């Protein structure tokens, strides 16, 4: 996927990462305060959201997360 970039930012340790969609371009933000291993898990999780086209669904983010973790 050519329309994805990843950046590291210092976030609260309760946040592993998140993704922003703007103009069909995804930015995955990972937490620089967490370990490489944790960031890789967060990265894979965020990629699944992109592959599942979750950003185009009308469901709430909370409901999407419930399905993503099951």
């Amino acid at each position: 996927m050519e329309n994805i970039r990843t950046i590291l930012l210092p976030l609260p340790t309760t946040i592993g990462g998140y993704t922003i969609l703007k103009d069909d371009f995804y930015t995955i933000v990972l937490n620089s305060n967490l370990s490489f291993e944790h960031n890789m898990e967060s990265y894979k999780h965020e990629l699944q959201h992109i592959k599942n086209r979750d950003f185009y669904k009308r469901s709430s983010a909370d409901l999407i997360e419930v399905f993503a973790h099951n």
Side-chain angles (χ1 to χ4, degrees), residues 24-54:
D24 290 324
F25 194 88
Y26 298 93
T27 301
I28 298 174
V29 180
L30 298 175
N31 191 339
S32 63
N33 292 318
L34 299 176
S35 69
F36 174 81
E37 292 79 14
H38 195 285
N39 278 321
M40 286 305 296
E41 289 302 313
S42 295
Y43 180 77
K44 291 175 191 176
H45 177 84
E46 295 304 320
L47 277 181
Q48 269 314 120
H49 283 302
I50 294 168
K51 289 177 184 176
N52 291 340
R53 300 186 53 80
D54 289 341

